[in-house]
Amino acid sequence: MNYIENIFLCLSIPLLVTTLCTSRNRRVSLIFLLCGMTVCLCSAYISTFFAGFMRADAVAAVSNITPMVEETMKLLPVLFYLLVFEPPRVEAANAILMTAAGFATFENVCYLTTNGASNVTWLLIRGAGSGAMHIVCGMLLGLGLLALWNVAWLKTAGTVAMLGFVIIYHAIYNLLVSQRGPAAVVGYLLPLLTMVSVLTLGQRFRRALAPEK
């Protein structure tokens, strides 16, 4: 049996102690790292409940239920941070990245305890695929927050649109990696290619906006 609650406690307690002992800027990052691990744990329960309630098979669960639950849960802590504390948008974008990183880390640890750690090659593929997918979804939501929260009427509509986009992206990834052969290879490469594209376009965009010397 995989006692994910015990794993969560072992990982979160050192981070919580560190949070109490560090500076404010680092404290915010650690808090959202913990939030990511927490929502990963909660997402497992919620997804399992809905899959059982709807009597969904494995394909329906990974394509319809899991992406919606996980991406919504990852966004909730950041929305609370935005609406209650009203931080700068850059801090909110960093917060959602840290939430995604915490989510991906805890998910990979639970995968290790369930499937073992003997196959290093497969673990690297899993870490670079699933881990990068969660980070990419966080990057896309962060870019959406930076771009859309500057316009009042776009806050709600834009957030819902970006959430829907990353849910679809997550579902496509899950469907691809659940297959075998070339489809799975494309699925595992998709987050890495997306990340490179987003970073490249972001650098070009910043250069275009930079004032000429």
Side-chain angles (χ1 to χ4, degrees):
M1 182 178 293
N2 187 5
Y3 295 97
I4 59 174
E5 303 88 353
N6 298 347
I7 298 170
F8 173 78
L9 288 174
C10 289
L11 293 176
S12 62
I13 289 174
L15 291 175
L16 182 59
V17 173
T18 306
T19 300
L20 299 174
C21 301
T22 191
S23 62
R24 181 191 175 279
N25 291 336
R26 295 185 178 90
R27 187 179 301 130
V28 172
S29 296
L30 286 172
I31 287 173
F32 280 100
L33 190 68
L34 281 168
C35 285
M37 295 168 57
T38 304
V39 297
C40 183
L41 177 65
C42 295
S43 296
Y45 291 126
I46 296 171
S47 296
T48 302
F49 168 77
F50 279 113
F53 180 76
M54 299 173 66
R55 298 181 180 178
D57 58 15
V59 175
V62 300
S63 61
N64 298 333
I65 298 173
T66 301
M68 185 177 298
V69 171
E70 291 185 353
E71 297 305 328
T72 302
M73 291 294 291
K74 282 191 291 186
L75 182 61
L76 290 180
V78 182
L79 284 181
F80 177 83
Y81 184 48
L82 276 167
L83 295 174
V84 175
F85 296 98
E86 299 182 351
R89 288 177 297 142
V90 174
E91 288 189 16
N94 290 334
I96 199 163
L97 272 179
M98 293 307 298
T99 304
F103 192 105
T105 300
F106 187 69
E107 185 178 71
N108 282 342
V109 169
C110 292
Y111 179 86
L112 284 173
T113 59
T114 302
N115 299 281
S118 58
N119 192 335
V120 178
T121 303
W122 172 247
L123 293 178
L124 289 174
I125 295 173
R126 161 79 189 185
S130 179
M133 182 272 296
H134 286 294
I135 301 301
V136 165
C137 289
M139 288 175 60
L140 295 173
L141 278 174
L143 290 173
L145 291 176
L146 286 172
L148 301 175
W149 275 65
N150 197 32
V151 183
W153 65 272
L154 276 178
K155 287 183 179 180
T156 301
T159 301
V160 173
M162 289 303 300
L163 178 60
F165 179 80
V166 296
I167 288 172
I168 294 171
Y169 183 92
H170 190 157
I172 292 172
Y173 170 83
N174 283 356
L175 285 172
L176 288 172
V177 299
S178 64
Q179 307 300 313
R180 295 184 178 181
V185 175
V186 172
Y188 284 117
L189 289 176
L190 180 63
L192 297 176
L193 295 175
T194 306
M195 184 179 296
V196 171
S197 301
V198 170
L199 292 175
T200 303
L201 291 173
Q203 290 178 354
R204 290 182 179 179
F205 183 70
R206 283 193 292 270
R207 281 198 218 97
L209 293 180
E212 296 183 0
K213 295 183 180 179

